[in-house]
Amino acid sequence: MSADAKPSPKVDPERNAREVLDPGTALVPTTVKVNEQRVSRGFWPKIRKVASKVPFAADALSVWWCARDPATPTAAKGMMFAALAYFVLPTDAIPDVLPAIGFTDDAAVIAALLAIVGKNLKPRHKDAAKAFLAKLGADD
């Protein structure tokens, strides 16, 4: 994509979250930017709140650090921000407030993401995730 490329006219940052997270537009630059902003605002509050409750917290954290890494390819970052944006959305396919099953859709999205772009996760991303979870556990 050239520096002169224009975002797809289908993508408008003012659209609702479900439309912005449409997989067909996940890699459009405007959508990536919207997802990155949504993740920047919502990821840390959500992960601090649920890290001890979800078995995929280390994976989500690893994806966060990988998505923020300048060495990660742009297409992989776009997919990572889309998955993390789904994780932080207050409404999703299965409401997170439902005991036992509330995060199964989020886990499935993270698992699918790892199957597709997991090769981009480096040991430094996984180490940062482990360190954060250890620190979070020590603070409790």
Side-chain angles (χ1 to χ4, degrees), residues 56-128:
F56 60 90
D59 292 328
L61 284 159
S62 296
V63 168
W64 163 264
W65 272 292
C66 187
R68 306 293 295 178
D69 187 339
T72 301
T74 302
K77 284 183 183 192
M79 294 175 75
M80 289 174 186
F81 281 124
L84 291 173
Y86 183 84
F87 173 67
V88 302
L89 277 176
T91 58
D92 54 22
I94 301 174
D96 295 340
V97 296
L98 295 175
I101 64 165
F103 287 100
T104 55
D105 58 326
D106 300 280
V109 168
I110 297 293
L113 173 76
L114 293 176
I116 297 168
V117 297
K119 67 182 179 201
N120 293 288
L121 291 179
K122 305 297 182 214
R124 65 181 175 270
H125 305 134
K126 294 175 184 179
D127 292 345

Side-chain angles (χ1 to χ4, degrees), residues 13-36:
E14 300 303 317
R15 293 165 78 184
N16 75 45
R18 294 226 185 267
E19 291 171 332
V20 172
L21 291 175
D22 173 14
T25 61
L27 298 180
V28 174
T30 304
T31 301
V32 172
K33 184 174 182 168
V34 169
N35 286 339
E36 185 175 3

